[in-house]
Amino acid sequence: MKIYLQLFYILLCSFLGEALKVLLQLPIPGSVLGMLLLFLALQLNIIKLDDVKEVGGFLLGNLSILFVPAGVGIMTHFSAIEKIWPILIVLSLFITAISMGIVGVVVQKIKERFEGDCPIKEDDNAQ
Protein backbone atom coordinates (compact mmCIF):
# COMPACT_ATOMS: atom_id res chain seq x y z
CA MET A 1 0.00 0.00 0.00
CA LYS A 2 2.92 2.32 0.73
CA ILE A 3 4.17 2.13 -2.85
CA TYR A 4 0.71 2.99 -4.21
CA LEU A 5 0.59 6.08 -2.02
CA GLN A 6 4.07 7.15 -3.18
CA LEU A 7 3.06 6.71 -6.81
CA PHE A 8 -0.14 8.65 -6.10
CA TYR A 9 1.85 11.65 -4.78
CA ILE A 10 4.07 11.70 -7.86
CA LEU A 11 1.17 11.28 -10.29
CA LEU A 12 -0.88 13.89 -8.41
CA CYS A 13 1.88 16.46 -8.86
CA SER A 14 2.14 15.52 -12.53
CA PHE A 15 -1.63 15.85 -12.97
CA LEU A 16 -1.68 19.23 -11.20
CA GLY A 17 1.12 20.42 -13.46
CA GLU A 18 -0.84 19.39 -16.55
CA ALA A 19 -3.96 21.10 -15.16
CA LEU A 20 -2.02 24.31 -14.48
CA LYS A 21 -0.63 24.27 -17.99
CA VAL A 22 -4.10 23.96 -19.53
CA LEU A 23 -5.84 26.40 -17.17
CA LEU A 24 -3.19 29.12 -17.38
CA GLN A 25 -2.25 28.31 -21.00
CA LEU A 26 1.44 28.27 -20.12
CA PRO A 27 4.11 27.44 -22.72
CA ILE A 28 5.83 25.11 -20.22
CA PRO A 29 5.21 21.33 -20.41
CA GLY A 30 2.84 20.09 -17.72
CA SER A 31 5.29 17.41 -16.64
CA VAL A 32 7.89 20.09 -15.87
CA LEU A 33 5.34 22.07 -13.87
CA GLY A 34 4.41 18.89 -12.03
CA MET A 35 8.01 18.20 -11.07
CA LEU A 36 8.34 21.82 -9.90
CA LEU A 37 5.24 21.32 -7.76
CA LEU A 38 6.72 18.11 -6.34
CA PHE A 39 9.99 19.94 -5.63
CA LEU A 40 8.12 22.74 -3.84
CA ALA A 41 6.06 20.23 -1.86
CA LEU A 42 9.26 18.49 -0.76
CA GLN A 43 11.00 21.77 0.11
CA LEU A 44 8.01 23.04 2.11
CA ASN A 45 7.64 19.66 3.88
CA ILE A 46 4.13 19.20 2.51
CA ILE A 47 5.38 15.85 1.24
CA LYS A 48 8.20 14.12 3.10
CA LEU A 49 11.06 12.56 1.14
CA ASP A 50 10.17 9.15 2.58
CA ASP A 51 6.70 9.58 1.03
CA VAL A 52 8.15 9.32 -2.51
CA LYS A 53 11.62 7.82 -2.04
CA GLU A 54 11.05 4.21 -3.16
CA VAL A 55 8.93 4.93 -6.23
CA GLY A 56 11.10 7.92 -7.16
CA GLY A 57 14.20 5.73 -6.97
CA PHE A 58 12.53 3.07 -9.09
CA LEU A 59 11.50 5.61 -11.73
CA LEU A 60 14.97 7.14 -11.83
CA GLY A 61 16.56 3.71 -12.07
CA ASN A 62 14.40 2.88 -15.08
CA LEU A 63 14.49 6.32 -16.66
CA SER A 64 16.12 5.14 -19.86
CA ILE A 65 13.17 2.92 -20.75
CA LEU A 66 10.85 5.91 -20.38
CA PHE A 67 12.64 7.56 -23.32
CA VAL A 68 11.85 4.70 -25.69
CA PRO A 69 8.43 6.09 -26.75
CA ALA A 70 10.00 9.47 -27.53
CA GLY A 71 12.69 7.80 -29.62
CA VAL A 72 10.11 5.76 -31.51
CA GLY A 73 8.07 8.91 -32.09
CA ILE A 74 11.09 10.64 -33.59
CA MET A 75 11.78 7.71 -35.89
CA THR A 76 8.17 7.54 -37.11
CA HIS A 77 8.36 11.23 -38.01
CA PHE A 78 11.95 11.16 -39.26
CA SER A 79 10.95 12.81 -42.53
CA ALA A 80 10.33 16.02 -40.57
CA ILE A 81 13.98 16.20 -39.44
CA GLU A 82 15.60 14.28 -42.30
CA LYS A 83 17.34 17.32 -43.77
CA ILE A 84 18.61 18.78 -40.50
CA TRP A 85 19.63 15.71 -38.44
CA PRO A 86 23.40 16.24 -38.94
CA ILE A 87 23.01 19.78 -37.58
CA LEU A 88 21.03 18.43 -34.62
CA ILE A 89 23.76 15.92 -33.82
CA VAL A 90 26.51 18.54 -33.98
CA LEU A 91 24.47 20.94 -31.85
CA SER A 92 23.75 18.20 -29.31
CA LEU A 93 27.46 17.40 -28.97
CA PHE A 94 28.37 21.09 -28.76
CA ILE A 95 25.72 21.86 -26.13
CA THR A 96 26.72 18.78 -24.13
CA ALA A 97 30.36 19.92 -24.09
CA ILE A 98 29.38 23.43 -23.01
CA SER A 99 27.07 22.05 -20.28
CA MET A 100 29.78 19.77 -18.95
CA GLY A 101 32.23 22.67 -18.86
CA ILE A 102 29.80 24.94 -17.02
CA VAL A 103 28.90 22.23 -14.51
CA GLY A 104 32.60 21.54 -13.92
CA VAL A 105 33.36 25.20 -13.24
CA VAL A 106 30.34 25.60 -10.96
CA VAL A 107 31.21 22.47 -8.95
CA GLN A 108 34.82 23.62 -8.62
CA LYS A 109 33.72 27.06 -7.36
CA ILE A 110 31.27 25.51 -4.89
CA LYS A 111 33.93 23.12 -3.58
CA GLU A 112 36.42 25.97 -3.19
CA ARG A 113 33.91 28.12 -1.34
CA PHE A 114 32.25 25.58 0.94
CA GLU A 115 34.81 22.79 1.33
CA GLY A 116 38.02 24.77 1.15
CA ASP A 117 39.26 22.68 -1.77
CA CYS A 118 41.43 24.54 -4.17
CA PRO A 119 43.37 23.32 -7.17
CA ILE A 120 47.04 22.53 -6.67
CA LYS A 121 49.11 25.39 -8.02
CA GLU A 122 52.40 25.06 -9.87
CA ASP A 123 54.27 26.77 -7.00
CA ASP A 124 53.00 24.16 -4.48
CA ASN A 125 54.50 21.30 -6.52
CA ALA A 126 57.96 22.89 -6.55
CA GLN A 127 58.37 22.55 -2.77
Side-chain angles (χ1 to χ4, degrees):
M1 187 67 175
K2 180 180 176 185
I3 292 176
Y4 292 125
L5 188 60
Q6 291 181 14
L7 185 60
F8 171 75
Y9 287 140
I10 293 172
L11 292 177
L12 177 65
C13 289
S14 183
F15 174 76
L16 291 175
E18 290 290 339
L20 276 176
K21 177 192 183 284
V22 171
L23 290 174
L24 301 177
Q25 296 184 358
L26 297 172
I28 301 169
S31 57
V32 173
L33 289 174
M35 289 302 104
L36 286 174
L37 290 174
L38 180 60
F39 175 75
L40 287 173
L42 288 167
Q43 289 299 313
L44 299 173
N45 288 326
I46 297 168
I47 297 175
K48 304 284 188 250
L49 182 59
D50 288 337
D51 293 339
V52 293
K53 191 173 186 176
E54 288 177 55
V55 171
F58 173 79
L59 290 172
L60 284 174
N62 294 293
L63 190 62
S64 59
I65 199 163
L66 299 175
F67 284 104
V68 170
V72 170
I74 289 172
M75 295 313 294
T76 58
H77 293 84
F78 186 72
S79 60
I81 62 168
E82 186 174 17
K83 295 176 183 166
I84 61 168
W85 74 268
I87 296 169
L88 293 175
I89 290 174
V90 170
L91 278 175
S92 296
L93 293 173
F94 183 69
I95 291 170
T96 300
I98 289 174
S99 299
M100 289 174 66
I102 290 171
V103 168
V105 169
V106 168
V107 168
Q108 188 175 18
K109 296 293 181 191
I110 289 172
K111 286 180 68 71
E112 287 174 4
R113 181 167 183 190
F114 293 105
E115 295 179 5
D117 293 352
C118 48
I120 298 174
K121 297 180 182 151
E122 295 292 330
D123 298 323
D124 294 340
N125 289 336
Q127 296 174 2

